[in-house]
Each structure stands twice: as C-alpha cells, then as structure tokens.
Amino acid sequence: MTDEATTTSGAQAGTPVLRLSGITKRFGPLVANNAISFALGRGEVVALLGENGAGKTTLMNILFGHYVADEGTVEVFGDRLPPGDPHAALEAGIGMVHQHFTLADNMTVLENIALGTQPVWSLRLDRGRARARIAELSADFGLAVDPGRLVSALSVGERQRVEILKALYRDARILILDEPTAVLTPAETEALFATLRMLVAKGLSIIFISHKLNEVMAVSDRVLVLRGGRLAGERATAGTTRQELAALMVGREVAPPQPAPVEPGAVLARLSGVSLRSDAGRLDDVTLDLRGGEIVGLAGVSGNGQAALAALLAGMVAPASGSLEIGGRPVTSWTPRAALAAGVGRIPENRHAVGTIGDMSVAENVISERYRDARFSSRGFLDWSAARGFAQSIVDAYDVKCPSPDARIRLLSGGNMQKLILGRALDPDPSLILANQPTRGLDVGAVSYVHERLLEARGRGAAILLISEDLDEILTLSDRIVVMSRGRLSAPSARGERSVAELGELMAGHGLDAGERGHAA
Amino acid sequence: MMEAFDILLTASFWVAAIRIASPLIFATMGELICERAGVLNLGIEGIMVAGAFAGWVTVYAGGDLWFGVLVAALAGAAFGLLHATLTVPLGLSQHVVGIGITLLATSLTYFTYRIVLPEVTSPPKIEAFQPLPIPVLSDIPVVGPALFAQTPLTYLAFVVVALTAWILYRTPLGLAVRAAGENPAAVEAQGISVAVIRIGAVMAGSALMAIGGAFLTMSAFNSFFFEMINGRGWICIALVVFGSWRPGKALLGAILFAAFDAYQIRLQQLTGGAIPYQIFLMMPYVLSILALILVARRATYPKALMIPYQKGER
Amino acid sequence: MRLEPKPSPTMVETLAYPAGAVLVTVLFASLLVLAAGASPFSVIYLVAKGAAGSQFALVETLTRATPLIFTGLAVAVAFRAKLWNIGAEAQLYIGAVMTIVLGTGALPLPAPILIPLIMIAAMAAGALLLLGPAALKVRFGVDEVVTTLLLNFIVLLFVSLLLEGPLKDPMGLGWPQTKKVIAEAQLPRLIQGKRLHFGFVIALAAAAATWVIMKKTVFGYEMRAVGHNPEAARFAGMPVNRILMKTALLSGGLAALAGFSEVAGLKGNLTLDLSPGYGYTGIVVAMLALLNPLGVVIAAIFVAGIFVGADAMSRAAGVPSYIADVMVATALLTMVVAVMLTRFRVRWR
C-alpha cells in the first residue's frame, strides 16, 4: 500500500497525496476520533460528512497540527508528518480554511497573507513581492480582493477568499475547508464551489467538511461519513443518495417530527417597523407577528441581523424606532428582566458564553433568571435548598445527566447544558419563546429532544420564534417562515409555500425591497 | 502670569522635560510591546525598580555603564520570563500575576539592596552617564540643548521608539506580534507559535521597562533610593492607552506628560509655596487618569489583550 | 502543552497543591537566606518563634493581622466580581482621615455612639473613593486597575497635605502628624497592657458578615455571577453595572475600616507611615485565601506572622526583614499556580 511515490508533485493519478492511518484522539473519557483511516487522491474532493460532535473538526485539527493524536499517523506525499506542528503541516503543503476565520482585523489583507511566510527575523517585510504574488494568484483563481485593505473592512465572502489565498500563497497542495458555507449566501456558496472546481482542475486536492447533505452531493467526488468519532462509511458521491448518507450520518433512519397543524391563536408579540443598531447587528424596519401555538422559523445567513432580533426579544436591546408589543401591550423600559416578567422564555445562541456561568453550579445556574422570585429568596437572602430542589426537578424532568445540583455546569456535556437551559427557559410556562440556534452542536438524541419540547410548548399555546442556520430544521418545525437579510425581514410564508430555492434567493437579499415586504397582520 | 508662560520658552525647561520623558519612553515602549502581543504587564512598576537597582549596582560594583544597562535589561527579561510563563502557557490572570511580579521584583530588590549595603544611611553615588552634546545640532536654540545635549541613554530611548515602530510595522516579526494581540488563531494558522511570540514580547518589553528604571539611577540621578519609581510604571500603562498602542503617539504622550511634569516643578517654584506642593506632585497622577478618561471612549484595545490562548482554540 | 479542565478536585489535590506552593515559597526564601549568609533552618525557627513563640509574639501577630483582614476582605469582595481594586491602600488612608476628622474632638459624643458613627463615616469615605474608578469603568470603560493604583499616590499626597496643613497637630513639634483621637473614639485594648485591640474583633465580625453576604445573600450571588461571566449575568437580567457599583461600595468600605481600626485602636493619630503597604498586602491575603472571607482571616494571620516573625528574626540573624515581603509575593505567585493545578490538568501533548 505505501508505495514509494514520494515526488512532491505526487505525480501518478491514484497515488494518495494524504493518508491518515488509525487516528485516535481522546479528551478525557470522550473518544473524539476512533481509529480513523483514509486517503486522499490528487485532484480529488473528499467530503467529510458528519453531525456536530462527530469528530470532523478534531480530525482536521490533528491533521493541521493543532492537536496531537494519541495514536495513528499522518502521511503527506508519502512522508510522515511530525505531530503537533502547524508549521510542518504548512510546509508539507496543507492549507486550512477554518470555520472561524483566522484573520487579524487590525492588519491588511497583504499582511495577513504574508504573516509567517518570511523568516521571522527578516529585517523587512517584502511587500512588493507579496503584492505581486497575490495579484497573480487572484488573477489565476478568480479570487479578487484588494491587498491593501484592512481585514476589518471586508465582507464575509471576501474574508473567505483571503483565507483561500493564504493557503495558495504558501503553495498548498491540499486544502481543507471546515464548514466553509456556514456564513455564505447561496450565491456566494456557488462562487466558492466554482473556485474549488478551478483549484481541483489545477491539481489541488480538497477536503470539504460539512454537515449539509446537498452541498456534499454538489461538490464532492467521494464522501466519508463520521459518526461518534468513527468512520461510519465511505461512498462515491455518484453512487449514493442523500437518504443513504443521512442514514449513515445519524446511524438510523431519522423520522423527522411531524408537527400536527395547530390553529394559530392570538398575537402574543408584535414588532411594527422596528429598527435598531446594536453590537449584535442591526434591524431595519422589521415587522412581524408571533401568534400563540405557532412556530415562526427565521432563516438567513449568519450575521444578517438574526442576532439583533434575538437580542431584541431577549430584552438585551430596545427598538430605536418602531414598536414592540408583548401580550398586546407596547413595551416601555425593555430589559432582560422586563422580558422575563413579560413571559418571554429565552434560549440564547451561545450556551457557554451567554446561557450559563461555567464556574457556577447547576443550581446557581438554573435560578439565574428567577432568583428574585419569592420561591428562591426573601429579604435579600437566597433559599439554597429551594434552588437545589428546583435544579433537581429540572434534572429529573428533562433527563439531564449530572452528578448533583452542586456540580459545576462547565463539566456537563453540551446536550445536558442545553436541556438545563431549556428547563430554565420553559419555567414557568412562557407565553413567548425565543429559541436561538437551540440545537447547534448537539447530537441527534439531544436535537430531537429539544424539538419535542419546543413542539410541546407550541401545543400548549406558546408563540415560538425559532432562529436557525440549519434550513432543514426551519423547514421541519416552522408553521411560518421568514427570511432575514441585511437586517430586513421578508414577508412570512406558510409551510411549504416557498421552495428552498426561493428561500435561498431571499437569504441572498433578493426580493427584499420595500414593496415586497408584507405586513403580516 | 507672563512668567508662567515664559517657562515654556526656556531651554532648561525642555531639557528637563526630555530627561523626565526618557525613562517613561523606555517603559512605555516596553508595555506597548507586551500589550500589542496580547499581554497586560502590571509587573512594570516592580520591573522598573529591579532595573534601576540592577543597573546601578553593576556600576557600583565596578562595571561599565553600558554593561550596567545590559544587566538591567537582563534582570527585566528574567522577570518578564516569569510573568510570561505564568500568563501565557498557564493562562493565569494577568492582573494578579502582574501585581505579584511587581511585589516580588520590588521586595527582592530591597532585600538585595540590604544584603549588598547592610548599614548605609545615605546611598552611595556612582559616576553616571554624562550629557553628550552632538556637535552643531546642540547649538540650535532651545531645541538643541533639549534634544541634542542629553545623555546617551536618552538618545537610546528615541532609537528604541524608532526601532519598535519599525519592527511592529515593517518586519515579519512585528506582523506576528500584532496578530498575536489581535487574533492569536491567525498566528497559529500560519505556523507560528503564539506562545513563543507572546513570551518573547513580554521578555523584550520587560527588558525595556528595566532600562527605563535604570535610566533613573544611571542617567537622571546617580544613586538608588527606595520608592524612586514612585508610580512611573502605572503612568506608563496609562500612556500606552493614551497613545492608542502606537509607538509614535505614545512617544508624544510621554513627552507631553513629561513637559507638564517639568512645568509643574517650575510653577511650584514660581508660586513660592502659596499652593501646597502636594497639589503639584499630584498633577502627574491626576493627569494620567484624565488622559485615560479622555481616550477611553475611542480606545481600540488589541482584541486579544488579556485573553489567554491555547493551541487549537478558536 | 494544553490545559484541560478536570472534574471536582479530590481532597488530596485541594490540600497538596497549596502545600506545594508553601513549600516552593519556603525553598526560595531559604535560598535567599543562604545568599545572605545565614542558615535557613535557624532563620525558619527564628521566624516561627518571632511570630508565635510567645504570648507577646502571638499578640503582635494578631495585631498586625487586623488591618490585613480588612484589606484582604476588601480585595476578596472586589476580585470576586472581577472588579480589580488595587486601591485598598488609598481607601485605608481615607478611612483613617475620617477617623481623625471626627474623632479628635469635633463630635463630643459618648463612645458607644461616637465609635459606630466614625466607622460608618470612614466606610462611606472609602466606599466613595472606590466608587469613582468603578463608575469610570462602567461608564467609560476605563481600566480600574490603573485608576485605583494612581489614586493611591494621589490620596497619599492628599494625606501629606492634610498632615502639613489643616490636620497638623499644633503640639507635634513640626512633625507631619495629627492630634490623637479623644478617649471616646478609642477602641479598647483586648488584653490589659498589650497592643491587641477591639479592632481585631471588628475584623472577625466583618469577615463573618462578608462570608454571609457572599454565600447566603442575593447580592453575594449576583457578585459571583458578574465576576464569573458578566455577559451571562446581563442576559439573565442582572443589573451588572449596579452590582459592580455596589461591590465597589462594599470593598472600599471594608478597606477604610483598616484605617479606622489602626488609628482608633492602635496608633491614636495619623502619620504618613500608618500603613506599610497593607493595601497591597491585602491582595496577597485575599489570593491566599482563595477569595474566601473566612480564609482571609487565616491568611491574614499567616501573612502577619511572617512579617512579625521576620522582624524578630532580622534583629537576631541579620537577614534583612524584606525577606518577609519576598515570601509573601512568592506565595501569591505560587498559590495562583496551585489553584490552577487543582482545576486543570496539564497535558504535555
């Protein structure tokens, strides 16, 4: 198997440019990668498909030298790659486009690309040479970007181009893209795919990491499916189907929840012409009704104002103009506390940074929104036994795996943490629920658990705003769908009314002119 | 009133201003380098104390002046290494470690002083750096004496500013330092170790702080006193913020600040005790706080300042 | 090398790492003692004897611990909320100034009324002094580390101004010092003829009260939440800025009590050497106590013991008493490492 074809060009077709053998990586008791082996051929696009937490990113971090595998080896063009050394990986011709861009905002495109390409002790950064090289690569691969601009001034799509240029600048022969489309509009995604095809045509090999089946089908030659840290299957893209891949990825036939139709109730929240600017983004003249017994799904490419809308409903920001009515009454002094008092249950986007306080206990975390209530405190003193009791009741009711209410919440898995947040948000029976990326990063079991609970709340008559970057989740759960782009909201469409392509158009910002926007009254 | 203004026109005033600025320039550049790499170094005050003593005692023991400067720098770098070991790979609180380094460096210095000079009442003097007028240039009125008739260590301070600016903005190393303070993941993704860059920056920065301290004992004065740093380190931290983390602006800030300090000393003499001298002595500290308030709104901190980084973390 | 959080540390780990920190500190100090030409063993013996070897030594240690308990509590409270109050020194002096202003005859009241009144005034002054930096942090994002540090110098100069001006003792032979407080404003001695005074009891009470606040009250819970994760606290509906301001008031007030207790209990008057850096040492005390208010009492007595013992040792063995400062600073650094090791596992790959 290990043939001696070690010329750096990796000449013969069929010779693997990259080979991983028996990679195993453990984090404490968790086995993130379990004996994974595969090879990548020259000019091949291999998709690494798997759910969140399946071990894709860990594997790539090992390949790139951020982590050191506990077992196994990586060979590039037949040479063994020294572990734990990103520099060696770069030298060997591996380029990585990370999910979260690794660019320094305070520097120019040129500086970001040139970073680390010259010996550190050089007396002068050779800008002229770098500029010429970037211009050449830009022209060759159709990656237009001005090298003199500050990264902070670039759009998301441009930043991704810079990331790819960084790899090409270093003569990468193998390009790894980690969830590259998560932040792109459908049109930008198409442009990215075109670039990838051009790269492959020039002899590069590509590993494309994703959990989105349609993209994997569109771009790859071969699909590797990871599940629970193991290689669950390998298929030629041409010879497989979405259904088969989905089953491999999840490990069983997934029956998506079938929400029974519910007669929508009264309007529980109404946004009329709301505009605002905040750290979370901006909203531009947003109008939306949320009715009891209804899930409204908010789709959109991340960073288009969804976070601002979430912040608004959570009470973190108030409308700069326009009005927000909760339960028929316009809100006045709008704070998180006011939102809680008005019966808004909130599931924040980032459960680690915002949803929980990692170094505090489970009990301390579950009362964080309600500690002033008479059941938890009186005259300034907290009732810890009541807090523990409440924590235990959530642990029992939501099937949370945790040693005790006194355990630090940081030690819980993402799924268990999310269940606690869910338990906190759904107590006591909110009339309006903000679910912002409620299943991101969870395993299948936890995902369906969260979905069931949200549907239950809908059945009880709660109004739910579901914000998700996962279009499938939106399509499955939502009674109505709205799309956000650049702070503006589309008119709502009923379940099945708009095709995925139409939604994609809206996500890209087409058809969101003032005339198009409906006012769902 | 006119007299108060005339002070500004005298050469001796500007000579004093530049002399007062010199240690601040060294230490401010040192802190700036640390912070640009993402590490707040609150050890600055103690490192200046240690540098002041290390340089002075080397010369006192018979060493050459420049050798004294080197020893001071090495002492600073050693404390920098300790700081960086605790804050970079171990990721400990930069506030707590910085204060700890200041306490340690200060107390170790005083302890060593007492060992070296057990029973002295007035500290011995050394032959300090002497002014080295640069021919022709030093003859220009006011500017000449202020800028071109200082000690070699003052000239070095200006060289350090130019060097810092050159390295930060014109060399691959500077790119790595600035990126480490903004987004360390960008540094690691390009195959450079964030830890090495940060540790190196803290060591180099601490060495400069120590030279700033040594300036006081080897150029401004010629002996070592307890309490002689007297908050200068903290003022430098304010100067870094005031200078928006840019060497040129920080230099300007240091000179402005020193000018003000020199001015208040002269004003104090002019008012002849009508205003308590403590009011004048307070001015530098009050001014630093005011400067911080002034720039706080538009200050753009290096984004990764005070945020520890672990490999593979994004 | 990477750090991985580990589940709750075992009892052995919680004890072993801090013990290791103390050991490293002692070893380092021993090296310095050797450098000074003395025997580490005899020095350790002399320090221990000087700190706790006699009734006199013990009383002296507890007396020295009293201001450290107050400043240690002040720092512990503030650091819990990640409010970096490095200005306990200034707050201490302001508390002392208030004690002099009200306690030297301005208010002719009986002791049971006068003393509580002075305490409240001192606390208010210290609280207000820290309120400024806290407000600047909350309003403008000005780093409170630098402002509180700089305020130390400003306040000390202010005190110097008072000592040479309005508060100068006319009978003081020209020394910059104030008049003594009147008898009604003095704290009683705990033991007849010894320096230990009622301030120690107040310090213990303050530690107990602070413990209750931190562990049992809504305010303490809010403080901890804001300290651990201000973003999550804000999302949960906690008034983060107001909590920080309240924390500043409590912290500044506690530090000011140190000044009150030193003047009213021990010195009687105010001079510029009232505090040999109790405010800064309070940081070490708080960190050694892992920010636990009851631990502060123990840590303060331990640190005070080192200082008192080192003074005695210095006279006997000729090793500079600055060895105590070195040990305290070293203990701070080794202790933060020890705490980290109890919570994280270091993996070398």
Side-chain angles (χ1 to χ4, degrees):
Chain A
M1 284 289 278
T2 48
D3 39 17
E4 302 279 286
T6 50
T7 46
T8 39
S9 57
Q12 309 122 271
T15 305
V17 295
L18 173 76
R19 181 192 297 281
L20 278 75
S21 319
I23 298 286
T24 297
K25 176 72 182 172
R26 299 179 197 89
F27 292 108
L30 176 81
V31 185
N33 286 156
N34 196 344
I36 293 175
S37 306
F38 72 85
L40 175 68
R42 184 169 187 269
E44 193 184 24
V45 180
V46 166
L48 201 56
L49 179 70
E51 287 196 302
N52 290 307
K56 303 174 304 236
T57 302
T58 303
L59 187 63
M60 290 308 113
N61 274 327
I62 289 170
L63 179 53
F64 195 67
H66 289 315
Y67 295 160
V68 177
D70 297 321
E71 290 159 34
T73 56
V74 179
E75 281 170 44
V76 184
F77 299 113
D79 292 330
R80 185 155 170 202
L81 197 65
D85 185 358
H87 189 68
L90 287 166
E91 287 292 302
I94 299 176
M96 185 148 174
V97 176
H98 293 91
Q99 192 174 359
H100 303 289
F101 298 146
T102 55
L103 299 171
D105 280 358
N106 62 340
M107 308 200 313
T108 63
V109 170
L110 183 146
E111 288 172 328
N112 268 285
I113 293 175
L115 176 62
T117 57
Q118 243 177 289
V120 162
W121 294 110
S122 318
L123 290 177
R124 220 176 123 256
L125 181 71
D126 194 344
R127 285 172 196 267
R129 200 177 66 95
R131 191 169 290 116
R133 185 86 209 284
I134 293 168
E136 188 190 333
L137 289 170
S138 294
D140 279 4
F141 294 95
L143 295 162
V145 59
D146 174 2
R149 283 178 77 194
L150 275 180
V151 165
S152 56
L154 299 185
S155 74
V156 172
E158 287 172 311
R159 284 174 200 227
Q160 190 167 61
R161 270 178 252 156
V162 176
E163 286 283 4
I164 296 174
L165 278 172
K166 265 165 70 177
L168 296 176
Y169 190 89
R170 289 173 162 272
D171 297 319
R173 306 303 301 157
I174 302 164
L175 194 62
I176 304 166
L177 297 115
D178 189 3
E179 302 274 2
T181 61
V183 290
L184 301 184
T185 63
E188 283 173 323
T189 303
E190 263 317 308
L192 171 69
F193 288 175
T195 304
L196 295 187
R197 280 188 273 272
M198 200 179 313
L199 295 173
V200 170
K202 301 208 178 198
L204 272 81
S205 308
I206 291 173
I207 298 179
F208 182 91
I209 304 174
S210 181
H211 66 276
K212 295 182 181 168
L213 289 167
N214 49 350
E215 290 175 1
V216 165
M217 295 299 289
V219 80
S220 69
D221 302 318
R222 197 151 55 95
V223 187
L224 300 167
V225 185
L226 278 185
R227 184 173 76 236
R230 285 173 183 280
L231 203 56
E234 182 178 345
R235 298 286 184 277
T237 311
T240 186
T241 60
R242 282 183 58 138
Q243 287 72 19
E244 189 192 18
L245 291 178
L248 274 173
M249 183 160 86
V250 177
R252 60 184 158 88
E253 290 295 326
V254 258
Q258 300 287 342
V262 171
E263 196 57 39
V267 175
L268 296 180
R270 166 168 290 167
L271 286 81
S272 324
V274 172
S275 298
L276 63 86
R277 280 171 180 285
S278 75
D279 296 343
R282 69 187 181 95
L283 296 182
D284 182 6
D285 195 15
V286 166
T287 293
L288 177 69
D289 281 355
L290 299 171
R291 292 168 183 277
E294 189 182 60
I295 296 182
V296 173
L298 175 62
V301 177
S302 100
N304 269 281
Q306 299 96 318
L309 182 56
L312 174 68
L313 286 182
M316 301 292 282
V317 290
S321 65
S323 74
L324 169 65
E325 288 172 36
I326 303 280
R329 250 164 294 149
V331 301
T332 44
S333 70
W334 190 234
T335 61
R337 213 184 275 195
L340 288 163
V344 184
R346 296 124 10 109
I347 301 168
E349 178 174 4
N350 187 332
R351 57 183 157 271
H352 297 279
V354 180
T356 58
I357 301 169
D359 282 320
M360 290 177 92
S361 73
V362 170
E364 285 171 315
N365 270 286
V366 293
I367 63 162
S368 65
E369 294 179 344
R370 303 283 173 196
Y371 64 95
R372 275 181 229 82
D373 293 2
R375 55 182 168 150
F376 295 127
S377 67
S378 66
R379 295 201 196 117
F381 282 84
L382 279 164
D383 181 349
W384 284 118
S385 64
R388 279 195 199 92
F390 179 55
Q392 193 60 51
S393 73
I394 290 182
V395 166
D396 295 341
Y398 288 79
D399 190 25
V400 181
K401 287 188 191 64
C402 95
S404 98
D406 295 322
R408 268 190 296 151
I409 204 165
R410 179 187 296 284
L411 300 169
L412 269 53
S413 74
N416 286 315
M417 217 183 257
Q418 193 71 338
K419 285 176 178 176
L420 282 170
I421 292 173
L422 201 60
R424 180 176 74 191
L426 297 184
D427 175 276
D429 228 352
S431 56
L432 174 63
I433 297 168
L434 163 70
N436 193 359
Q437 318 288 351
T439 59
R440 181 190 277 173
L442 301 186
D443 61 44
V444 196
V447 169
S448 58
Y449 189 89
V450 171
H451 286 170
E452 277 165 33
R453 289 292 174 142
L454 287 178
L455 288 171
E456 255 174 52
R458 165 179 175 266
R460 282 198 302 272
I464 299 172
L465 178 67
L466 170 70
I467 303 178
S468 178
E469 278 157 27
D470 185 346
L471 202 51
D472 285 340
E473 182 172 45
I474 298 263
L475 291 171
T476 326
L477 292 181
S478 310
D479 298 297
R480 284 190 299 148
I481 296 174
V482 286
V483 180
M484 198 157 228
S485 173
R486 272 172 258 140
R488 317 185 85 176
L489 200 64
S490 74
S493 56
R495 174 187 293 277
E497 192 184 316
R498 281 192 184 118
S499 70
V500 173
E502 284 170 322
L503 291 173
E505 283 286 293
L506 288 171
M507 285 161 75
H510 304 304
L512 273 183
D513 313 313
E516 243 326 283
R517 256 164 336 125
H519 288 250
Chain B
M1 204 54 229
M2 264 328 277
E3 286 175 73
F5 180 76
D6 286 343
I7 291 174
L8 294 177
L9 301 177
T10 60
S12 74
F13 163 73
W14 287 105
V15 173
I18 296 297
R19 187 181 61 237
I20 294 171
S22 301
L24 302 176
I25 293 170
F26 279 115
T28 304
M29 289 305 129
E31 184 67 36
L32 187 145
I33 291 170
C34 296
E35 293 191 18
R36 269 299 179 132
V39 182
L40 173 74
N41 190 346
L42 291 181
I44 183 168
E45 180 86 3
I47 291 170
M48 288 180 81
V49 175
F53 176 72
W56 173 84
V57 83
T58 306
V59 178
Y60 176 71
D64 174 67
L65 277 169
W66 286 108
F67 184 63
V69 173
L70 179 69
V71 170
L74 289 176
F79 282 111
L81 177 62
L82 179 61
H83 186 292
T85 306
L86 297 178
T87 53
V88 178
L90 296 182
L92 295 169
S93 158
Q94 295 178 9
H95 282 116
V96 176
V97 169
I99 297 291
I101 295 284
T102 282
L103 292 177
L104 181 67
T106 309
S107 55
L108 260 180
T109 301
Y110 292 176
F111 178 84
T112 316
Y113 180 90
R114 277 284 166 237
I115 298 270
V116 177
L117 303 160
E119 296 296 333
V120 296
T121 40
S122 71
K125 295 180 171 19
I126 59 164
E127 197 63 40
F129 279 106
Q130 295 304 314
L132 183 75
I134 295 171
V136 186
L137 288 176
S138 58
D139 296 335
I140 308 171
V142 186
V143 179
L147 290 178
F148 303 111
Q150 299 278 1
T151 68
L153 225 40
T154 293
Y155 302 141
L156 181 64
F158 285 91
V159 173
V160 161
V161 176
L163 216 58
T164 306
W166 175 269
I167 290 173
L168 281 179
Y169 293 99
R170 300 274 173 225
T171 69
L173 178 65
L175 282 190
V177 170
R178 287 193 288 140
E182 186 77 9
N183 182 4
V187 177
E188 199 187 311
Q190 294 287 65
I192 303 171
S193 162
V194 177
V196 168
I197 291 292
R198 285 188 166 175
I199 293 172
V202 173
M203 287 177 70
S206 300
L208 287 179
M209 296 169 189
I211 296 177
F215 182 92
L216 291 172
T217 51
M218 300 171 65
S219 184
F221 306 100
N222 53 7
S223 50
F224 176 84
F225 306 94
F226 286 16
E227 317 284 334
M228 87 183 300
I229 301 302
N230 208 12
R232 281 185 175 84
W234 312 133
I235 286 168
C236 291
I237 289 183
L239 283 174
V240 172
V241 181
F242 184 73
S244 327
W245 291 269
R246 290 175 168 274
K249 278 190 181 174
L251 169 71
L252 206 67
I255 293 176
L256 261 177
F257 179 89
F260 191 86
D261 203 16
Y263 187 70
Q264 62 92 1
I265 296 167
R266 279 157 182 76
L267 208 57
Q268 199 176 328
Q269 289 156 356
L270 204 65
T271 55
I275 302 167
Y277 68 94
Q278 290 96 340
I279 299 283
F280 291 101
L281 291 182
M282 274 181 206
M283 281 308 162
Y285 308 109
V286 174
L287 199 66
S288 301
I289 292 179
L290 288 179
L292 281 178
I293 299 169
L294 197 70
V295 299
R297 278 269 183 232
R298 54 189 172 82
T300 44
Y301 285 74
K303 280 206 203 76
L305 183 62
M306 289 191 272
I307 301 171
Y309 177 77
Q310 281 211 32
K311 241 179 140 179
E313 193 181 80
R314 268 169 306 279
Chain C
M1 189 198 112
R2 36 189 329 105
L3 305 172
E4 288 170 7
K6 59 184 175 195
S8 313
T10 61
M11 200 62 194
V12 178
E13 281 177 317
T14 3
L15 293 176
Y17 287 114
V22 173
L23 192 69
V24 171
T25 305
V26 170
L27 282 177
F28 180 61
S30 301
L31 284 178
L32 294 180
V33 167
L34 282 173
S39 145
F41 292 106
S42 71
V43 164
I44 290 171
Y45 169 74
L46 286 171
V47 170
K49 191 174 143 212
S54 64
Q55 195 208 16
F56 171 81
L58 268 175
V59 164
E60 200 50 37
T61 295
L62 295 183
T63 309
R64 189 79 76 96
T66 303
L68 290 178
I69 295 174
F70 287 119
T71 55
L73 288 173
V75 174
V77 163
F79 280 22
R80 249 308 168 226
K82 295 254 162 71
L83 178 74
W84 302 103
N85 173 18
I86 322 288
E89 190 78 2
Q91 293 137 26
L92 178 153
Y93 271 101
I94 283 296
V97 167
M98 268 333 248
T99 311
I100 293 296
V101 168
L102 299 177
T104 48
L107 296 175
L109 296 167
I113 301 175
L114 183 58
I115 288 177
L117 208 66
I118 294 177
M119 279 176 65
I120 291 168
M123 287 185 77
L128 285 176
L129 189 59
L130 185 51
L131 205 58
L136 288 179
K137 173 197 172 84
V138 167
R139 280 245 159 257
F140 301 104
V142 178
D143 187 14
E144 73 278 21
V145 174
V146 186
T147 48
T148 52
L149 275 167
L150 291 170
L151 268 177
N152 287 342
F153 294 88
I154 295 173
V155 166
L156 217 62
L157 284 164
F158 175 67
V159 171
S160 156
L161 188 155
L162 293 177
L163 293 186
E164 292 178 10
L167 293 184
K168 187 172 182 175
D169 180 8
M171 316 298 278
L173 302 171
W175 290 102
Q177 63 182 35
T178 66
K179 285 193 289 191
K180 297 249 177 204
V181 294
I182 57 176
E184 286 81 1
Q186 273 174 22
L187 295 174
R189 295 283 151 113
L190 290 183
I191 310 166
Q192 197 64 41
K194 296 280 194 291
R195 279 159 44 94
L196 189 61
H197 52 89
F198 193 72
F200 182 66
V201 178
I202 300 177
L204 295 183
T210 309
W211 183 83
V212 170
I213 290 173
M214 299 302 292
K215 298 278 166 181
K216 303 285 178 194
T217 69
V218 166
F219 176 40
Y221 167 73
E222 290 176 327
M223 252 195 283
R224 287 183 288 128
V226 169
H228 283 308
N229 187 344
E231 216 180 323
R234 186 166 283 135
F235 183 83
M238 299 184 192
V240 172
N241 289 353
R242 207 186 318 154
I243 293 166
L244 282 172
M245 301 294 266
K246 277 159 76 180
T247 307
L249 291 176
L250 178 60
S251 173
L254 283 166
L257 281 182
F260 155 78
S261 135
E262 284 297 280
V263 170
L266 192 64
K267 301 282 177 66
N269 66 354
L270 172 56
T271 56
L272 267 184
D273 58 0
L274 179 74
S275 159
Y278 289 138
Y280 301 101
T281 312
I283 298 169
V284 185
V285 168
M287 294 309 297
L288 290 183
L290 310 182
L291 306 186
N292 179 321
L294 299 182
V296 162
V297 174
I298 298 165
I301 293 174
F302 175 73
V303 168
I306 291 180
F307 277 108
V308 172
D311 278 346
M313 177 279 297
S314 174
R315 284 189 294 273
V319 175
S321 63
Y322 285 111
I323 188 86
D325 299 82
V326 177
M327 284 183 73
V328 165
T330 312
L332 169 64
L333 293 176
T334 52
M335 192 54 98
V336 286
V337 176
V339 170
M340 190 219 62
L341 290 177
T342 54
R343 307 190 55 191
F344 292 92
R345 183 179 291 113
V346 178
R347 301 233 312 189
W348 291 100
R349 297 188 343 135

